[in-house]
């Protein structure tokens, strides 16, 4: 009896290997969520509290899942929680849909616009086809905006350790006059290295990116002397951290002194714990430093205007009145 041959193979040849099954493409929303989850686990192991974006990204993903399942009421409830967590005053979904709400979260108009667009789809029956695609896209955009994954990719944090990224960022002259530490979690001990680098490079620094660095009020106050002494600093990004409205008092006091932050034109404080509006003295301090920039936007507090008046593009009721110095 001869040797049994595999069909399609010549005698003496090994049978072809079975074709490997290609894994299903990973959904981008799932990928972003997994990155955020891993970051949260690291912070939790270190005994620290999580920055608010972890909770907000989780709400977005849960809301998308409920909407896909046609569980409209539950998805709407999560949207309400998300709006409240982001400081959007209205609790009525109809107010959001018809743009009659008065939003105080001046610091992050992009989120407002995405939330308003998202509400239209959540408020409708189970989305299908193009509507489902639009809903997924909005959730992806909101996740992208409220989480640091783009900074992680830019610094290579997905594959590299944060300490290595920080060391590389604090070497030599800042590229494009920007000190970009966004997405790199900072510890209190590392703040001394950052402050020392800012002092050494003060003549070259025009922008400082500290978004999604796990900054707390106490940590920012430790950096404030070095930041305020930068003569060419124009923009300071502090969004996506664990800052509270209590730190606004110190920032406002710093802006009252013309010698501190002499060239700054904007400080981004969005997506923090509870900083939903900026006090007028804060805006006046910025206005004095950049009078040619034009009127700084402010938002009417609820009840100051009639619904529909001074309606902005993002649905917020805006006032373009110039702050009085």
């Amino acid at each position: 009896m001869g040797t049994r041959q595999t069909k399609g193979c010549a005698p003496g040849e090994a049978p072809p290997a079975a074709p490997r099954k290609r894994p299903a493409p990973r959904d981008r929303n799932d990928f972003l969520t997994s990155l955020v989850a891993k970051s949260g686990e690291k912070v939790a192991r270190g005994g620290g509290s999580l920055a608010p974006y972890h909770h907000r990204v989780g709400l977005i993903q849960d809301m998308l899942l409920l909407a896909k399942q046609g569980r409209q009421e539950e998805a709407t409830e999560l949207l309400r929680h998300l709006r409240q967590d982001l400081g959007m005053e209205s609790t009525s979904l109809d107010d959001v849909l018809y743009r009659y709400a008065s939003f105080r979260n001046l610091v992050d108009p992009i989120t407002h616009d995405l939330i308003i667009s998202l509400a239209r789809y959540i408020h409708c029956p189970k989305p299908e086809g193009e509507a489902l695609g639009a809903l997924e896209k909005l959730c992806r955009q909101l996740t992208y905006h409220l989480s640091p994954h783009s900074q992680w990719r830019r610094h290579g944090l997905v594959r590299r350790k944060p300490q290595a990224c920080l060391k590389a960022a604090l070497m030599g002259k800042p590229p494009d006059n920007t000190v970009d530490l966004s997405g790199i979690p900072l510890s209190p001990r590392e703040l001394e290295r950052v402050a020392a680098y800012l002092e050494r490079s003060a003549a070259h620094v025009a922008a400082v990116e500290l978004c999604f660095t796990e900054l707390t009020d106490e940590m920012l106050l430790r950096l404030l002397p070095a930041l305020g002494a930068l003569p060419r600093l124009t923009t300071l990004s502090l969004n996506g951290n664990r800052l509270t409205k209590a730190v606004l008092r110190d920032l406002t006091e710093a802006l009252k002194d013309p010698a501190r932050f002499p060239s700054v034109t904007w400080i981004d404080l969005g997506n923090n714990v509870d900083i939903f509006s900026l006090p007028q003295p804060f805006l006046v301090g910025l206005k004095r430093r950049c009078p040619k920039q034009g009127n700084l936007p402010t938002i009417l507090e609820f009840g100051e205007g009639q619904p529909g008046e001074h309606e902005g593009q993002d649905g917020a009721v805006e006032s373009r009145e110039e702050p009085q110095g």
Side-chain angles (χ1 to χ4, degrees):
M1 297 178 63
T3 305
R4 185 177 179 181
Q5 296 182 6
T6 305
K7 184 177 180 180
C9 295
E13 289 185 0
R20 291 184 178 181
K21 291 184 178 181
R22 297 183 64 181
R26 195 174 187 181
D27 184 82
R28 278 185 286 181
N29 283 336
D30 293 339
F31 176 69
L32 300 183
T33 306
S34 66
L35 286 180
V36 173
K38 289 179 181 178
S39 171
E41 290 171 1
K42 291 179 181 178
V43 175
R45 285 198 298 268
S49 59
L50 297 178
Y53 74 82
H54 291 274
H55 170 64
R56 290 162 186 167
V57 168
L59 283 176
I60 295 167
Q61 300 306 316
D62 291 343
M63 180 174 55
L64 175 60
L65 179 61
L66 291 172
K68 285 181 175 180
Q69 296 172 350
R71 297 158 67 179
Q72 179 188 349
E73 292 185 3
E74 295 170 77
T76 300
E77 182 66 14
L78 284 186
L79 178 61
R80 185 178 70 84
H81 286 306
L82 179 62
R83 292 202 321 273
Q84 290 180 336
D85 195 46
L86 290 167
M88 300 173 74
E89 288 294 284
S90 174
T91 56
S92 168
L93 186 56
D94 289 336
D95 285 347
V96 175
L97 289 172
Y98 295 106
R99 297 171 177 249
Y100 288 162
S102 175
F103 300 137
R104 298 173 61 192
N105 191 348
L106 171 64
V107 295
D108 194 358
I110 295 176
T111 295
H112 286 160
D113 190 58
L114 290 172
I115 289 288
I116 290 171
S117 300
L118 189 60
R120 294 193 184 96
Y121 291 97
I122 295 293
H123 200 51
C124 296
K126 184 177 180 180
E128 296 178 354
E130 293 184 2
L132 178 58
L135 176 62
E136 291 177 333
K137 181 179 179 180
L138 284 169
C139 288
R140 187 165 60 247
Q141 289 175 328
L142 196 53
T143 300
Y144 183 97
H145 179 62
L146 293 178
S147 64
H149 78 279
S150 58
Q151 285 81 9
W152 289 340
R153 287 181 174 177
R154 184 166 69 249
H155 288 296
L157 274 168
V158 177
R159 296 182 178 86
R160 298 171 63 192
K161 292 184 178 181
Q163 293 83 358
C165 296
L166 179 63
K167 182 178 180 181
L170 299 181
M171 291 180 62
K173 181 181 176 181
D176 300 322
N177 298 324
T178 299
V179 179
D180 187 1
L181 305 180
S182 54
I184 302 176
L186 299 176
S187 67
R189 185 179 61 180
E190 291 165 337
L191 290 181
E192 298 178 4
R193 296 173 57 192
V194 175
Y197 178 79
L198 292 175
E199 292 173 1
R200 292 196 308 270
S201 309
H204 307 288
V205 178
V208 176
E209 299 278 348
L210 290 170
C211 47
F212 301 105
T213 53
E214 300 294 335
L215 278 182
T216 62
D217 291 358
E218 182 181 357
M219 294 169 69
L220 177 59
L221 293 181
R222 289 177 57 184
L223 276 180
L224 212 54
L227 291 168
L230 298 174
R232 297 180 56 196
L233 180 67
T234 57
T235 57
L236 174 60
S237 297
L238 300 171
N239 55 300
N241 287 300
R242 292 185 282 157
L243 303 176
T244 71
K245 59 185 178 182
V247 82
L248 287 175
R249 180 184 306 172
D250 297 275
L251 287 172
T252 302
E253 286 299 318
L255 290 174
K256 289 180 180 179
D257 184 355
R260 303 175 70 183
F261 295 102
S263 304
V264 75
T265 59
W266 189 245
I267 300 176
D268 186 356
L269 289 160
N271 196 19
N272 275 285
V273 177
D274 58 356
I275 302 177
F276 304 138
S277 62
L278 299 175
Q280 282 297 313
F282 181 96
L283 296 173
V284 169
L286 294 176
K287 176 68 176 178
R288 286 173 175 166
R289 285 162 171 77
C290 191
K292 295 181 180 180
Q293 185 169 303
N295 296 339
L296 290 169
T298 59
I299 292 182
L300 292 173
E301 300 294 340
F302 188 75
E304 290 183 359
Q306 295 299 321
E309 292 182 358
H310 311 294
E311 187 175 334
Q313 289 184 350
D314 62 344
V317 181
E318 297 185 357
S319 167
R320 299 289 176 178
E321 296 178 359
E322 181 176 346
Q324 298 298 320

